[in-house]
């Protein structure tokens, strides 16, 4: 059998760990979908519309690390772009793959169905560039491998969605086969000089402090540094607080865990801890209007150490050229023990009013009953709106996961995202 562009794409998706891709068919991607189906390493999960398809891939990426959604041109892809904007906001590498007009149609003045009626078909690529970290249009088989690899590599490195459109006559064109995957998955190179300087400056800063506090933010999972953060907490022995969008990103049974910091709506004691810390180590935070409670709870100033996915700012100096994961790992080796901030009090929670057999179906009762159902295997997906606040009131057993979409905040996201997430967890439970 001739090896084709579609087969190349399928092999690459399987190589980066996809066991499924999400799809809605249309004239522009029919041949591509058939090519993808030839690969037995990956199942096609069919969706009822493209917005759901995009959100299913978004949910899959939450548990699997990456995902793909395959849609038809314009009438499909433009619907999916809302979910891709969400994946951008939430730092999830979802590859949006759209079928596209026949390469022979370009420049003919042909008006094609499903398009806006323009005879220049480049508008979708232009739109996609605004919500992805890399976007390519494939109109010939020869350049397909480089474009596919560029898009996938960039998405994995940046933890952002990326976009590919493939002319409908090109998916079944002959193509070279891909090499091994390690080149796509390789960890970025680390500037050891900069890393050492950042770690030394942070250690010096922490050594001068008596009651540092850690604040865990929502970009931590995308930075692949959940375990490293816990190891650092073990070493520092200080109080650890989480931001709302990072619920579940730090184990709540950890000796240092001291609750949710959300300004005025923090769990009891957490606001005072964070706002009186003489060193506040903010790890992968997103400070937006929600998380700062309308800019009233935005940690800033000389006490703040800002450890972001691509840079660390401490004591008036910025360091880059290494990953957050590498920084936290190196910091944990040298960090001093600073237990003072964690010594006072028990782990705080939002209190619920006493229940009774006659209690009605109130928010309090819903929180109580759902919380009682949570186990270390649960993934709790909290829909945009009131559910966010209910999720914050839950106490999580170790291992329980919470999914939130607090940056994008699309109502209706939770059902398709849960669907995709469940497919990914099905793989994990089969391993
Ligand atoms: C796609 C989208 N459209 C509009 C909004 C604006 N919006 C925010 S909350 C909300 C109402 C949500 O009502 P409901 O789903 O009942 O949530 P709850 O009352 O539990 O917060 C709307 C329309 C949004 N967040 N997302």
């Amino acid at each position: 059998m001739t090896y084709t562009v579609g087969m190349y794409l399928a092999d690459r998706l399987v190589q980066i760990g996809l066991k499924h891709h999400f799809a809605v068919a249309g004239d522009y991607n029919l041949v591509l979908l058939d090519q993808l189906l030839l690969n037995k390493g990956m199942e096609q999960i069919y969706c009822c519309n493209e917005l759901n398809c995009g959100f299913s891939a978004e949910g899959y990426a939450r548990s699997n690390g990456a995902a793909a959604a395959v849609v038809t041109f314009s009438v499909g892809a433009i619907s999916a772009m809302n979910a891709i904007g969400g994946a951008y906001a939430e730092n999830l590498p979802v590859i949006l793959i759209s079928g596209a007009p026949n390469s022979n149609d370009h420049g003919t003045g042909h008006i094609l169905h499903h398009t806006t009626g323009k005879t220049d078909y480049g508008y979708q690529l232009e739109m996609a560039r605004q919500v992805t970290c890399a976007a390519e249009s494939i109109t010939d088989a020869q350049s397909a491998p480089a474009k596919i690899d560029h898009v996938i590599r960039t998405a994995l490195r940046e933890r952002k969605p990326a976009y590919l459109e493939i002319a409908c006559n090109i998916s079944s064109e002959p193509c070279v086969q891909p090499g091994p995957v390690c080149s796509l998955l390789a960890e970025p190179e680390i500037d050891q000089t900069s890393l050492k300087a950042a770690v030394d400056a942070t250690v010096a800063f922490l050594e001068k402090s008596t009651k540092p506090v850690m604040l865990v933010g929502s970009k931590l999972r995308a930075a692949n540094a959940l375990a490293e953060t816990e190891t650092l907490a073990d070493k520092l022995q200080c109080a650890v607080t989480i931001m709302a969008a990072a619920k579940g990103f730090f184990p709540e049974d950890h000796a240092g865990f001291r609750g949710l910091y959300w300004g005025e709506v923090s769990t009891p004691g957490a606001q005072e801890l964070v706002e009186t810390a003489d060193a506040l180590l903010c790890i992968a935070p997103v400070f937006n209007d929600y998380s700062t409670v309308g800019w009233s709870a935005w940690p800033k100033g000389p006490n703040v150490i800002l450890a972001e996915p691509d840079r660390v700012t401490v004591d008036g100096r910025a360091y880059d050229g290494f990953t957050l994961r590498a920084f936290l790992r190196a910091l944990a080796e040298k960090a001093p023990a600073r237990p003072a901030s964690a010594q006072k009090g028990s782990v705080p929670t939002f209190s619920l009013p006493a229940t009774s057999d006659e209690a009605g179906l109130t928010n309090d009762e819903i929180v109580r009953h759902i919380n009682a159902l949570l186990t270390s295997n649960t993934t709790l997906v909290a829909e945009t709106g009131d559910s966010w606040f209910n999720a914050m009131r839950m106490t999580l057993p170790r291992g329980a996961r919470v999914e939130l979409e607090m940056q994008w905040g699309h109502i209706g996201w939770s059902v398709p995202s849960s669907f995709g997430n469940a497919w990914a967890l099905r793989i994990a439970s089969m391993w």
Side-chain angles (χ1 to χ4, degrees), residues 21-30 33 44-54 69-73 75-77 80 97-99:
H21 58 272
F22 298 87
V24 180
D27 288 334
Y28 295 94
N29 69 359
L30 290 176
L33 291 177
Q44 198 163 90
I45 309 297
Y46 210 74
C47 298
C48 58
N49 66 46
E50 286 81 358
L51 179 59
N52 282 346
C53 182
V70 190
V71 297
T72 196
F73 195 64
V75 71
I97 300 153
S98 175

Side-chain angles (χ1 to χ4, degrees), residues 82 383-387 409-411:
N82 189 325
E383 170 65 349
T384 298
D386 281 352
S387 300
H410 186 298
I411 55 170

Side-chain angles (χ1 to χ4, degrees), residues 51 55 82 290 363 383-390 405 408-413:
L51 179 59
F55 277 139
N82 189 325
Y290 284 172
N363 256 341
E383 170 65 349
T384 298
D386 281 352
S387 300
W388 282 345
F389 303 99
N390 290 334
E405 200 218 21
W408 194 240
H410 186 298
I411 55 170
W413 151 87

